[in-house]
């Protein structure tokens, strides 16, 4: 399974080399660290996933001495590794450019949002295809633009206020509860994806 994880990271090597300068540019211009980290993490993770969706790739993977459990598990473990890489890059870049460390609460918020997205996206993509998720994302984005420009003009400000409120909370038990809930959701998603992938016919 380690070879499968290594394969995913090597496949994404060129993409990471392209995205790294973009990360630093966004940081230099003061773009929201939370927003940039979430978007970059999801893009990198889903790009790796989509590369393995070809029938020929799945046939090859299943012909190799790997179980379907290992194939799915490598995606979930690889996703965490790639997200961690993005967070480390953001943290180092923010320290170099702005001479300040990213708050642990902010890192926890970013991690939670990305993990929640993956927890729903992976089973969906194993059941259907990632292109359907992409189509749904485009529709949701268009809907978001309509809502912002027509119904709730200050939606972005409301979202920023909610994020600021969450980051200003000092309840350690709440953070622990959120962390455990996100981990549980990820494990459930992992198990569900394994069951879905076991039943697929290539």
């Amino acid at each position: 399974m380690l070879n499968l994880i290594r394969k995913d990271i090597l496949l994404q090597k060129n993409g990471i080399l392209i995205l790294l300068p973009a990360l630093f540019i966004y940081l230099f211009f003061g773009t929201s660290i939370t927003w940039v980290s979430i978007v970059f993490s999801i893009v990198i993770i889903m790009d790796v996933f989509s590369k393995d969706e070809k029938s020929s790739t799945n046939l090859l993977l299943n012909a190799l001495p790997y179980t379907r459990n290992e194939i799915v598990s490598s995606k979930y473990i690889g996703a965490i590794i790639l997200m961690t890489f993005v967070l480390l890059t953001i943290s180092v870049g923010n320290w170099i450019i702005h001479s300040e460390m990213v708050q642990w609460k902010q890192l926890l918020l970013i991690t939670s949002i990305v993990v929640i997205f993956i927890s729903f996206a992976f089973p969906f993509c194993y059941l259907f295809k990632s292109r359907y998720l992409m189509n749904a994302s485009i529709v949701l984005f268009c809907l978001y633009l309509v809502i912002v420009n027509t119904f709730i003009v200050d939606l972005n400000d409301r979202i920023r206020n909610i994020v600021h409120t969450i980051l200003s909370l000092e309840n350690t038990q709440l953070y622990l509860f959120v962390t455990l809930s996100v981990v549980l959701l990820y494990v459930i998603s992992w198990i569900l994806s394994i069951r879905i992938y076991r039943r697929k016919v290539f």
Side-chain angles (χ1 to χ4, degrees):
M1 187 170 69
L2 290 175
N3 287 329
L4 290 173
I5 298 171
R6 184 170 174 271
K7 170 189 69 68
D8 287 343
I9 294 173
L10 288 176
L11 281 175
Q12 197 57 26
K13 182 177 65 176
N14 292 334
I16 290 173
L17 291 176
I18 293 171
L19 289 173
L20 280 179
L23 274 174
F24 277 89
I25 291 171
Y26 278 112
L27 287 173
F28 182 78
F29 286 105
T31 309
S32 168
I33 291 174
T34 304
W35 171 250
V36 171
S37 300
I38 291 170
V39 171
F40 274 71
S41 296
I42 291 174
V43 168
I44 290 174
I45 291 168
M46 294 311 298
D47 184 55
V48 171
F49 189 96
S50 64
K51 286 177 180 176
D52 274 353
E53 278 191 319
K54 297 176 181 178
S55 297
S56 56
T57 304
N58 277 303
L59 285 171
L60 176 61
L61 287 174
N62 283 278
L64 294 172
Y66 299 114
T67 65
R68 295 198 174 193
N69 290 10
E70 290 176 324
I71 294 171
V72 173
S73 296
S74 68
K75 285 287 179 283
Y76 276 83
I77 296 171
I80 296 298
I81 292 173
L82 289 170
M83 179 185 64
T84 302
F85 180 80
V86 172
L87 293 178
L88 285 174
T89 304
I90 286 286
S91 299
V92 172
N94 194 61
W95 183 75
I96 293 172
I97 296 171
H98 301 295
S99 300
E100 59 183 21
M101 297 298 294
V102 181
Q103 296 180 8
W104 68 268
K105 294 177 183 178
Q106 199 168 5
L107 293 175
L108 180 60
L109 177 64
I110 294 165
T111 302
S112 299
I113 293 174
V114 174
V115 169
I116 289 171
F117 176 86
I118 296 169
S119 298
F120 286 101
F122 276 14
F124 179 89
C125 292
Y126 276 120
L127 190 60
F128 303 105
K129 290 285 184 181
S130 62
R131 68 172 181 271
Y132 295 117
L133 182 64
M134 178 63 70
N135 294 337
S137 300
I138 293 171
V139 171
L140 287 174
F141 181 72
C142 293
L143 183 62
Y144 167 79
L145 291 178
V146 171
I147 292 173
V148 169
N149 292 315
T150 308
F151 301 104
I152 310 175
V153 182
D154 62 338
L155 181 60
N156 290 330
D157 293 329
R158 293 187 185 187
I159 293 173
R160 276 191 289 268
N161 289 333
I162 291 171
V163 172
H164 179 73
T165 302
I166 292 172
L167 294 176
S168 63
L169 293 174
E170 297 294 339
N171 192 333
T172 307
Q173 291 181 342
L174 176 61
Y175 286 111
L176 180 60
F177 174 75
V178 170
T179 302
L180 292 175
S181 299
V182 170
V183 170
L184 179 60
L185 177 64
Y186 200 66
V187 171
I188 292 172
S189 171
W190 193 330
I191 295 170
L192 179 60
S193 291
I194 289 174
R195 291 185 176 180
I196 293 171
Y197 194 71
R198 277 179 183 171
R199 298 174 183 175
K200 289 181 77 74
V201 178
F202 300 107

